[in-house]
Structures are given as C-alpha cells and as structure tokens.
Amino acid sequence: MTTETTEARVLDAIRERRDLVNAAIDEELPVQRPERLYEASRYILEAGGKRLRPTVTTLAAEAVAGIEPMSADFREFDALDGEAVDVMRAAVSIEVIQSFTLIHDDIMDEDDLRRGVPAVHEQYDVSTAILAGDTLYSKAFEIMSETGADPADGLEAMRLLASTCTEICEGQALDVAFESRDDILPEEYLEMVELKTAVLYGAAASTAAVLLGADDGISDALYQYGIDSGRAFQIQDDVLDLTVPSEDLGKQRGSDLVEGKETLITLHARQEGVDVDGLVDAETPAEVTEAEVDEAVAVLEEAGSIEYARETAADLTARSKEHLQVLPESDSRALLEDLADYLITRGY
C-alpha cells in the first residue's frame, strides 16, 4: 500500500469519526449559564482540530473487539462481557482534556494564536481563559464517569485519566524548567515529551481497552502504543514548528526556537557545536521574521539535526506498531498502525 493510500485511509477514518465527536461534544458540553464561561470553554473545540485522540480511542475499541471500522454504535458499544459501554463519552473526555491543556499552555507561553484563531486568553481575557480551562478539566471527569462501564472498569478509567492529567502537568513543569538550562540530555527531553504529550495518547488508546474489560496485557500494550506514537508525534511537531508556513501552522513558525524551548532538534544541534541561542535575535514570536527562521532552519539542516529528529520519530513509530501485535488481526488494528505512520508524515 502506498503512502498516499495509507494517508487517504487515515484521513477518511479521522473525518468520519470527527463528525461523530463534534456532535457528541455539542451534547456533552452545551453552552449554559454563565454563557461567557461556556463559550470560552468551547472556543478552541469549535476552532477546529483533527480529533486525533478520539480517533485513537474509537479505533482502539474496535481493534480490541476485533470488529470492522465504523461497524458499531460508539454510544452503545459491546464490552467483552456483552454489556453496552458509551465509548464516545470516553473519546470526548480525552479531547476535552486536550483542549484544557492547550488553553493553559497558550497562557503560559504567551502564544497569541491557536489553530489559526486568537488564543482563548486573547479572544476573551486571561481570567476567563483560566476558568475555561479549569471547567474543561472538571467536565472531562464528569463525562468519563458516565460511560456505563462495569464499575471497576469505570473507576480504573477515571484513575488513568487522573494520573494522566498529573503527568501532563509534570511534563509542562519540566518543559518550563528546560528553558533555563543548556545541559539537557536527549533522554531527559524524551521523558518530558512522554509526560507532556504522549501520556494522553497512551490514555486515549488504553482507556478503550479498560472500559471494555480487556485484560491488563492488552490495555498495557495499547498504552505503550500511545506512548511511542505520541512521542513521535511531538518530535514531528517540533519539526513542523520550523518547516511549515505560519499560515498553515496556525501560529508563528519558529516560535519554539524564539522562546528558547529545547527540542530534540536543538539538543542535537548543540552537540554538533551549533550556537542555538544565537540562531534568532527576536525576543517574542511576534517579532521574528520569516527570513530569520529560514536562516535558522538552514543551519539546523546543515548540522543534520532536523533529519536526526525525523529518524528518531520514525524509530518510535515502528516500535509503537509492534505493541499492537497482541490484538487480533483486523482492519481496525491496521488503521491504528496507519495512524501511527500518519502522525509523523502529516502536514497542516
């Protein structure tokens, strides 16, 4: 199967699930009083997004059950004991947590744009944005608590969501701390990426198995699939931050470099003797020019740093797909494998 065919299959799967997820978001997170709070809470959700993590959750449920893609109702999905589970609520909960992290990240990073529109704190104000993020955080647990799963399985899914949120905060704290260090090791960066980004992919994949009553071996394997593909996703995201035009990226290209964020790219470049701190002179992403970013990218490419990041992402993706061997062969499992490939080849 060609790369183009694989991408087309994945994009079709994402599109058809995104429509269902968006409809479910409207049901699970309606605008209510106070309207401004809930409008702000839904603002980023309505601004777009591929709904990649809910796609992982719904595909993982189908792969655990060994059924064909889109052959079952996610609202009344048969668990392994035959009881109905609302897998869509779990998928929405994961996406709501993702949006919560984006709102708070943009405040901390002072980013003006998200998905091509003003960030929540710019569209509204910082106080409202903080409250919107907190509301999404709380709503995610409320939604996850209503899947109708076996009580023990539902409790484990809630525990997993809670520990995932804690780890995301730990990863964000490490990311902030890295900004004042120039001695970070690649393994430290990968730990940070696992906590900040990959654990939510791990939760997205394994929550489906937990709610359906699969054994620990399957839920653990799906979690590791999410961890490795999530780390690859973040590394590729760092590459895209430098290589994709700002209008397609939805924020200023090269913003990570301007803000002094360490990535696998900059860590490799430092080891190659590149003066990473001197690549751009701008103090904020709004001040950097496209020409400055182009010059910085040329230096990083000459050092082999961007290619090193791409190769690392490819290795992690190959490892992620190996974890899926515990699942029965099905088109749903094959789509999970294709999705892992898509995460490191996607554009914007």
Side-chain angles (χ1 to χ4, degrees):
M1 187 177 294
T2 66
T3 301
E4 291 78 10
T5 303
T6 297
E7 182 173 344
R9 271 170 42 88
V10 171
L11 289 176
D12 283 344
I14 291 171
R15 275 191 292 267
E16 58 192 358
R17 290 156 203 273
R18 182 172 60 224
D19 290 341
L20 295 176
V21 172
N22 288 343
I25 288 171
D26 288 340
E27 294 176 18
E28 304 295 340
L29 195 66
V31 174
Q32 58 195 52
R33 295 185 62 202
E35 287 81 2
R36 182 176 171 84
L37 171 64
Y38 283 95
E39 287 168 359
S41 299
R42 287 176 54 103
Y43 177 74
I44 287 299
L45 284 163
E46 293 176 346
K50 290 186 173 71
R51 309 301 190 228
L52 292 173
R53 294 156 192 83
T55 295
V56 170
T57 301
T58 52
L59 272 174
E62 292 167 334
V64 168
I67 63 175
E68 291 300 300
M70 301 301 293
S71 63
D73 183 354
F74 294 120
R75 286 294 199 177
E76 296 182 352
F77 200 95
D78 285 342
L80 299 184
D81 63 2
E83 295 296 319
V85 172
D86 193 336
V87 171
M88 183 53 67
R89 275 202 171 109
V92 169
S93 177
I94 294 291
E95 184 67 11
V96 167
I97 286 294
Q98 166 66 4
S99 295
F100 142 69
T101 66
L102 296 181
I103 292 173
H104 284 194
D105 280 0
D106 288 343
I107 295 170
M108 294 177 66
D109 296 342
E110 298 181 349
D111 284 338
D112 296 333
L113 292 175
R114 172 67 66 175
R115 293 173 176 165
V117 300
V120 176
H121 65 277
E122 290 289 330
Q123 181 71 14
Y124 293 87
D125 53 67
V126 172
S127 296
T128 300
I130 292 171
L131 288 172
D134 292 346
T135 298
L136 290 177
Y137 175 83
S138 301
K139 282 290 185 180
F141 286 91
E142 182 180 326
I143 295 166
M144 184 69 83
S145 73
E146 298 173 343
T147 63
D150 175 87
D153 296 334
L155 181 61
E156 176 58 20
M158 293 281 282
R159 185 207 64 77
L160 177 58
L161 187 64
S163 63
T164 297
C165 290
T166 300
E167 289 171 324
I168 291 171
C169 292
E170 292 171 349
Q172 181 70 6
L174 287 175
D175 195 19
V176 171
F178 285 177
E179 293 178 18
S180 60
R181 289 180 51 192
D182 59 6
D183 60 346
I184 301 160
L185 299 174
E187 51 267 32
E188 290 182 284
Y189 170 80
L190 289 173
E191 177 194 15
M192 181 273 290
V193 165
E194 178 173 331
L195 292 170
K196 183 178 177 181
T197 301
V199 291
L200 193 55
Y201 275 100
S206 61
T207 294
V210 169
L211 291 173
L212 296 183
D215 62 45
D216 290 346
I218 291 176
S219 60
D220 289 347
L222 279 166
Y223 185 78
Q224 290 304 317
Y225 160 83
I227 290 294
D228 285 335
S229 58
R231 289 197 293 175
F233 172 87
Q234 183 58 60
I235 292 169
Q236 176 67 0
D237 220 44
D238 296 338
V239 172
L240 295 174
D241 181 74
L242 292 170
T243 59
V244 172
S246 299
E247 57 269 24
D248 296 329
L249 198 59
K251 62 177 184 178
Q252 175 58 52
R253 182 169 71 107
S255 60
D256 289 349
L257 196 60
V258 175
E259 292 164 357
K261 289 187 177 181
E262 292 290 8
T263 66
L264 204 60
I265 299 168
T266 58
L267 292 176
H268 179 274
R270 289 185 192 279
Q271 292 177 336
E272 295 299 308
V274 174
D275 177 17
V276 172
D277 299 326
L279 286 176
V280 293
D281 293 329
E283 294 293 327
T284 67
E287 296 173 2
V288 73
T289 66
E290 292 296 317
E292 284 181 288
V293 178
D294 286 339
E295 291 175 6
V297 168
V299 173
L300 294 170
E301 285 180 336
E302 185 176 352
S305 302
I306 293 178
E307 183 59 29
Y308 171 74
R310 287 192 173 113
E311 290 175 356
T312 302
D315 290 342
L316 286 167
T317 297
R319 188 190 308 173
S320 77
K321 293 188 289 186
E322 292 175 2
H323 297 301
L324 298 178
Q325 299 305 308
V326 300
L327 298 171
E329 288 190 20
S330 68
D331 284 345
S332 299
R333 190 186 90 177
L335 265 173
L336 278 176
E337 294 172 352
D338 292 344
L339 179 59
D341 287 327
Y342 170 75
L343 291 178
I344 63 165
T345 59
R346 73 196 190 284
Y348 272 76

